[in-house]
Amino acid sequence: MAKQDDDFKKVISHAKEYGYVFQSSEIYDGLSAVYDYAQNGSELKKNIREYWWKAMVHLNENIVGIDAAIFMHPTTWKASGHVDAFNDPLIDNKDSKKRYRADVLIEDHVAKIEAKIEKEVAKAAKRFGDAFDKEQFLATNQRVLDYQEKADGILKRMGRSLENEDLADVKSLIEELDISCPMSGSKNWTDVKQFNLMFGTKLGASAESAMDLYLRPETAQGIFVNFLNVQKTGRMKIPFGIAQTGKAFRNEIVARQFIFRMREFEQMEMQFFIRPGSQQEWYEKWKENRLKWHLSLGMGEENYRFHDHEKLAHYADAAADIEFRFPFGFKELEGIHSRTDFDLSQHEKHSNKKLQYFDPELKENYVPYVVETSIGLDRMFLAVFAHSLQEEELDNNTTRTVLKLPAVLAPTKAAVLPLVKKDGLPDVAHKIIEDLKWDFNVTYDEKDAVGRRYRRQDAVGTPFCITVDHQSLEDQTVTIRHRDTMEQRRVAISEVKGIIHKEVDMRSWLQRMQ
Ligand code: GAP
């Protein structure tokens, strides 16, 4: 655990030191769970957003994108169920005065049991070597089966209690599992209470006439209320999808773990409208498609897993998370939800407007069912950033800190470095930048020895360094250094653009999904 904490601290401090993420309003000591993206962070975030948009909108003929407002008519949230049911169960520790999400305390307890399973697997793998069959071990080892049964039983009971609003049983479960406050070790708990996560605000010039509004807690409702407008104006035929990215706001009780759980964050969501009855098929298809998108970034198949929900949200008939191995363990990165016709039917009821589709093949009207994919952009940022940050031992017994971001997402694709600040080398470097900047985000750096500049670009995550030296003046060549291999090659200046393009081009990255 100490190592995990340590690794995570390194991620947070690297994000600050290299201009990725700052605490919001830091000069006033910050604002809890609110963060600003800095010069490199905003580029990385934009690139992740584009990578998602390309895959979801441009590469699918039957998906279009919108950009709905953050403010929505307040009835939206009554209809969607958020006013009544968008709650987290919270519990306070009477001694430490710390507040927790009751379900997270229980899930953390389960994660510890699951960690024991992983330990057993690792031990057995070491013992049996090449002959080790993980599947068989998981299915037959009695100790592992007991752990698994225990973990499943706890989650099942918690899911049932939350679904039935039986908060007393959630508290009993915490007591039975002997869960203590992570800060103080105390087991002196209050009762579990529900807490609505929406932020309220007001619209209007005077206090008397102002209308109570909410800041949207998810972007999805902006899609549902525009369903018919988009369907008609885009002449969309079911099955079709509407995608959008944008800010969402939640008054999270326990906002910790840096940008993993924020109060203001960004979502990338897609609602896929389908015939009633076909939801199982589309749910499975979107689960597969979204996992492929993640895998296309090359961050290791072993770092992802599905987690099927026991406890379903008020709108879903099936739901799964794609979990990623963050520095603090496997956690939800993206959700895939089969939302039935819940949202559209609710909006029909509350607005008195028909939100139906005439199916020309079936020759009938119906309220479409929906399968949703929903990923937090900030959480994806954290997954990419934390996974990419590596300390490497080099042959000469030194270490280097390198941010091995997938090149397609790197904020800056190349740094152009004149070996010295004189003899006309900066002019050649600037000329190269003048040409490359139309295709890529590139940077110029002339300060310090070139070795130090390489290390600085490694730490920022720049995939290529292009060094201009005296030979460049004579034969129009430069050295191009690759961040990951540190290999340096002498190439003609005219070849540089093609070399960078080959490695950062979104097409080849996304084609891996096929
Ligand atoms: N429209 C469905 C929906 O909002 P969700 O599971 O509540 O579902 C979807 O959220 C995704 O949004 C999550 O998988 C996560 O990546 C991201 N997310 C949710 N709450 C977040 C928070 N407080 N901070 C950062 N990301 C968050």
Side-chain angles (χ1 to χ4, degrees):
M1 196 51 109
K3 163 126 185 19
Q4 283 189 353
D5 288 350
D6 209 36
D7 287 350
F8 193 39
K9 276 189 193 139
K10 277 189 194 149
V11 168
I12 298 169
S13 64
H14 196 88
K16 179 170 181 198
E17 191 179 341
Y18 288 92
Y20 277 87
V21 183
F22 300 149
Q23 175 88 61
S24 158
S25 340
E26 196 189 73
I27 58 167
Y28 296 106
D29 296 331
L31 192 61
S32 163
V34 187
Y35 291 90
D36 296 339
Y37 288 87
Q39 65 278 17
N40 290 317
S42 58
E43 291 284 341
L44 174 57
K45 200 172 167 202
K46 174 182 74 64
N47 293 345
I48 296 173
R49 195 189 293 113
E50 279 176 12
Y51 196 70
W52 181 88
W53 191 269
K54 188 83 201 166
M56 298 299 277
V57 182
H58 294 177
L59 295 182
N60 286 297
E61 265 177 43
N62 59 351
I63 299 183
V64 291
I66 64 166
D67 183 9
I70 288 172
F71 292 141
M72 299 184 70
H73 192 283
T75 311
T76 308
W77 305 110
K78 188 74 195 153
S80 67
H82 284 82
V83 170
D84 297 319
F86 194 53
N87 301 315
D88 273 347
L90 71 85
I91 190 164
D92 291 282
N93 186 277
K94 290 184 199 163
D95 296 325
S96 67
K97 309 277 180 256
K98 291 281 170 202
R99 177 163 283 187
Y100 298 95
R101 266 177 61 177
D103 56 336
V104 172
L105 282 180
I106 296 169
E107 278 166 7
D108 284 351
H109 183 86
V110 169
K112 282 186 196 147
I113 300 175
E114 284 170 345
K116 286 184 186 164
I117 297 179
E118 301 244 332
K119 237 183 186 163
E120 292 293 332
V121 170
K123 259 191 347 209
K126 210 166 157 194
R127 198 165 59 232
F128 296 117
D130 287 347
F132 182 59
D133 180 342
K134 187 174 170 188
E135 295 299 310
Q136 195 192 353
F137 181 76
L138 288 175
T140 53
N141 179 278
Q142 195 52 48
R143 200 171 300 167
V144 166
L145 290 174
D146 290 345
Y147 283 141
Q148 197 58 58
E149 192 185 339
K150 197 167 168 195
D152 293 346
I154 294 170
L155 289 178
K156 225 179 214 127
R157 175 162 159 206
M158 180 182 82
R160 220 178 21 240
S161 311
L162 288 171
E163 219 161 283
N164 299 336
E165 289 279 314
D166 186 355
L167 299 181
D169 191 55
V170 178
K171 183 179 179 189
S172 304
L173 188 55
I174 288 177
E175 286 171 341
E176 282 167 36
L177 295 173
D178 220 20
I179 295 175
S180 55
C181 166
M183 297 296 284
S184 65
S186 152
K187 293 172 190 163
N188 192 6
W189 296 109
T190 62
D191 288 340
V192 178
K193 282 179 258 155
Q194 291 290 19
F195 175 82
N196 193 287
L197 298 185
M198 283 197 294
F199 281 108
T201 184
K202 290 195 181 290
L203 179 94
S206 67
E208 306 80 63
S209 64
M211 185 186 207
D212 287 319
L213 291 188
Y214 294 106
L215 297 183
R216 66 181 179 196
E218 62 171 11
T219 58
Q221 297 305 322
I223 293 178
F224 288 121
V225 299
N226 279 300
F227 155 73
L228 213 51
N229 281 340
V230 173
Q231 189 271 318
K232 290 214 148 72
T233 57
R235 300 193 299 156
M236 308 300 289
K237 283 208 177 84
I238 272 178
F240 75 91
I242 306 178
Q244 80 165 326
T245 70
K247 287 276 172 123
F249 304 83
R250 295 182 189 178
N251 196 1
E252 298 284 358
I253 308 166
V254 188
R256 46 191 164 103
Q257 293 167 320
F258 192 39
I259 55 172
F260 181 81
R261 196 176 302 287
M262 302 157 89
R263 297 203 162 103
E264 174 182 341
F265 59 102
E266 194 164 335
Q267 288 186 313
M268 307 192 286
E269 298 201 298
M270 192 277 300
Q271 313 295 321
F272 201 68
F273 298 91
I274 54 175
R275 269 188 197 159
S278 64
Q279 66 267 33
Q280 183 63 28
E281 176 198 342
W282 284 110
Y283 172 67
E284 295 300 336
K285 273 192 186 156
W286 278 111
K287 272 174 75 174
E288 189 187 323
N289 179 292
R290 291 303 304 147
L291 184 62
K292 279 188 183 162
W293 181 82
H294 287 284
L295 295 180
S296 73
L297 287 169
M299 299 201 296
E301 216 170 325
E302 68 286 2
N303 292 319
Y304 300 86
R305 69 181 188 194
F306 281 113
H307 166 73
D308 295 316
H309 284 207
E310 290 286 342
K311 169 192 148 200
L312 291 173
H314 59 275
Y315 49 72
D317 73 355
D321 298 333
I322 295 177
E323 293 188 338
F324 182 74
R325 197 197 297 266
F326 286 94
F328 36 83
F330 271 103
K331 293 275 177 210
E332 172 185 349
L333 172 58
E334 169 156 11
I336 293 108
H337 310 126
S338 171
R339 291 182 79 128
T340 67
D341 60 353
F342 175 85
D343 302 86
L344 289 179
S345 300
Q346 284 292 104
H347 287 305
E348 271 202 328
K349 205 161 92 194
H350 284 80
S351 67
N352 278 325
K353 306 261 164 43
K354 278 222 168 314
L355 293 176
Q356 301 199 354
Y357 172 78
F358 177 73
D359 192 319
E361 279 170 34
L362 298 180
K363 300 203 177 10
E364 65 179 58
N365 283 302
Y366 54 77
V367 177
Y369 269 44
V370 170
V371 171
E372 162 187 77
T373 71
S374 175
I375 174 167
L377 175 49
D378 313 83
R379 220 171 259 193
M380 183 65 195
F381 183 113
L382 180 59
V384 170
F385 191 87
H387 176 80
S388 303
L389 185 58
Q390 297 174 20
E391 294 273 333
E392 267 184 7
E393 300 281 339
L394 302 181
D395 290 343
N396 59 0
N397 283 337
T398 58
T399 54
R400 72 162 180 156
T401 301
V402 54
L403 192 62
K404 289 189 172 172
L405 297 169
V408 65
L409 302 181
T412 306
K413 304 304 186 201
V416 185
L417 321 171
L419 191 62
V420 289
K421 277 191 257 182
K422 53 184 187 182
D423 304 335
L425 302 190
D427 296 339
V428 178
H430 281 300
K431 239 169 108 183
I432 294 172
I433 288 202
E434 273 309 304
D435 182 37
L436 294 182
K437 74 181 186 189
W438 296 94
D439 297 270
F440 319 108
N441 188 26
V442 288
T443 188
Y444 173 83
D445 188 6
E446 61 174 24
K447 195 167 173 284
D448 299 326
V450 77
R452 288 188 69 170
R453 280 181 272 168
Y454 286 156
R455 288 300 155 83
R456 195 152 58 224
Q457 294 303 330
D458 287 346
V460 176
T462 309
F464 293 103
C465 285
I466 294 144
T467 306
V468 177
D469 57 17
H470 291 92
Q471 190 182 330
S472 310
L473 301 174
E474 287 161 22
D475 63 4
Q476 297 295 298
T477 62
V478 286
T479 50
I480 185 158
R481 174 185 180 272
H482 197 274
R483 176 197 66 195
D484 298 346
T485 59
M486 293 191 290
E487 183 205 34
Q488 297 185 29
R489 271 199 299 151
R490 188 118 214 143
V491 299
I493 291 175
S494 58
E495 286 178 82
V496 167
K497 194 188 293 182
I499 294 171
I500 300 175
H501 193 266
K502 203 161 155 237
E503 199 133 327
V504 307
D505 180 33
M506 202 181 278
R507 171 194 284 253
S508 49
W509 285 82
L510 280 173
Q511 275 175 346
R512 298 177 185 186
M513 282 180 74
Q514 294 158 7

